[in-house]
Amino acid sequence: MTVDVNKTDGPGGTRGGGPEAIKAIPVRHPLRYVSAVVALGTLAAIVYAFAQSDKINWGAIPDYFFNDRVVAGVRETLILTILSMVIGVVLGIVLAVMRLSKNPVTSGIAWFYIWFFRGTPVLVQLFVWFNLGLVFEYMNLGPFYKDEWSDFMTPMLTALLGLGLNEAAYMAEICRAGLLSVDEGQTEAAHALGMSNAKTLRRVVIPQSMRVIVPPTGNEVINMLKTTSLVSAVQYLDLFRVTQQIGERSAATVEMYFLAAAWYLVMTSILSVGQYYVERYYAKGSLRSLPPTPIQRLKSALIPSRTQSGGIR
């Protein structure tokens, strides 16, 4: 922004009376308009290319969108996401506490677990669990349980172990960062009041660390929802596997991939809204005043307040 200051003679603008009011001239940004035109043109070209293709049956997408098998796949995807995240969060908290332990054995075990599961791809872990039947013929727990490995290691259990145990390694680091963000004085004060280590962790440290833990955990939930598509490789009938099968049988392969993408977008969008409000809830103690929600901003833009319209304050 440039400033144009002129000194003229006369009332209010004389040399003795001081300069005139500053007239601000906005700086032009022509490249902004050029980049906007280029982006819109590229988007329009992509949309036009797909719309003009006669090899895509767009009508198959709404026809199968609420198909019973597709809805069942969506349900299985959500169930797998929730259960895997529960395993990851619970085990991640335990690993984080172990990692911060002063016991070198406990800390070393937690470090090795995190190192191993973060260092190997999820798909590789899924195949390892799924093919352990080539190594172990039976699952033998003594008098409690004994069965063939192929019957024991179902696609559901394979998916839960592969996704949940891998997620625990990432959640352990997230939880550890959250626990370290709490000032040590809080722990010392709790101990001075006679609280045990477990009670201090449960009632003082963890509640204060939630502000740091919640945002990346929300991202992990959304990422887990998308990662569940990998379990189709171990014959689990999730959303991606179901749409893949429908596409192979109906000769609408690409259309079913678009349908799966649409469902993933719907679910991740809903989770993103939930993540926003959860983060807003845990930000109450760190901000003096919370920013308005998107609904509040939209309402204020569409419905002028009385003050803005000249009414009574």
Side-chain angles (χ1 to χ4, degrees), residues 19-30:
E20 287 184 343
I22 297 176
K23 181 180 178 182
I25 303 174
V27 178
R28 292 183 173 85
H29 299 279

Side-chain angles (χ1 to χ4, degrees), residues 123 125-131 154-156 158-159 230-237 241:
L123 188 60
Q125 296 175 30
L126 288 169
F127 276 119
V128 168
W129 287 111
F130 191 68
N131 291 283
T154 62
M156 178 67 172
T158 302
L230 294 177
V231 300
S232 61
V234 292
Q235 309 304 317
Y236 188 80
L237 293 177
R241 180 63 176 169

Side-chain angles (χ1 to χ4, degrees), residues 14 27 45 80 86 90 120 191 208 222 230 249 266 287 312:
T14 60
V27 178
L80 185 58
V86 169
V90 173
T120 53
H191 288 167
Q208 295 187 58
I222 295 174
L230 294 177
R249 295 174 183 176
V266 170
L287 299 176
I312 300 175

Side-chain angles (χ1 to χ4, degrees), residues 119-273:
T120 53
V122 182
L123 188 60
V124 174
Q125 296 175 30
L126 288 169
F127 276 119
V128 168
W129 287 111
F130 191 68
N131 291 283
L132 277 180
L134 301 176
V135 180
F136 303 103
E137 186 177 355
Y138 294 96
M139 179 62 183
N140 190 353
L141 298 179
F144 302 101
Y145 181 85
K146 183 178 181 180
D147 199 355
E148 293 185 3
W149 187 272
S150 58
D151 295 331
F152 167 75
M153 190 59 65
T154 62
M156 178 67 172
L157 183 58
T158 302
L160 286 177
L161 290 175
L163 297 179
L165 297 183
N166 180 80
E167 182 62 30
Y170 290 92
M171 285 304 305
E173 291 298 280
I174 292 173
C175 293
R176 185 171 70 92
L179 296 176
L180 291 176
S181 68
V182 180
D183 190 85
E184 292 184 0
Q186 300 288 329
T187 302
E188 295 173 356
H191 288 167
L193 294 174
M195 290 187 180
S196 62
N197 289 333
K199 194 172 184 179
T200 300
L201 184 67
R202 187 176 69 254
R203 302 191 64 176
V204 177
V205 178
I206 290 181
Q208 295 187 58
S209 65
M210 291 300 290
R211 181 174 55 87
V212 177
I213 294 175
V214 167
T217 302
N219 292 334
E220 287 297 311
V221 173
I222 295 174
N223 186 61
M224 175 62 72
L225 178 67
K226 297 181 294 183
T227 307
T228 55
S229 60
L230 294 177
V231 300
S232 61
V234 292
Q235 309 304 317
Y236 188 80
L237 293 177
D238 68 318
L239 171 62
F240 181 68
R241 180 63 176 169
V242 168
T243 52
Q244 194 175 39
Q245 290 180 347
I246 295 175
E248 292 172 354
R249 295 174 183 176
S250 63
T253 305
V254 176
E255 293 84 345
M256 292 301 102
Y257 288 149
F258 286 154
L259 186 148
W263 265 114
Y264 282 117
L265 284 173
V266 170
M267 291 187 287
T268 54
S269 299
I270 294 173
L271 290 177
S272 298
V273 173

Side-chain angles (χ1 to χ4, degrees), residues 274-304:
Q275 178 188 2
Y276 171 81
Y277 283 100
V278 172
E279 290 182 12
R280 180 182 172 84
Y281 174 80
Y282 283 103
K284 289 180 179 178
S286 60
L287 299 176
R288 294 183 178 180
S289 60
L290 295 175
T293 64
I295 296 178
Q296 291 172 342
R297 289 197 295 266
L298 180 62
K299 188 180 296 184
S300 63
L302 297 178
I303 306 175

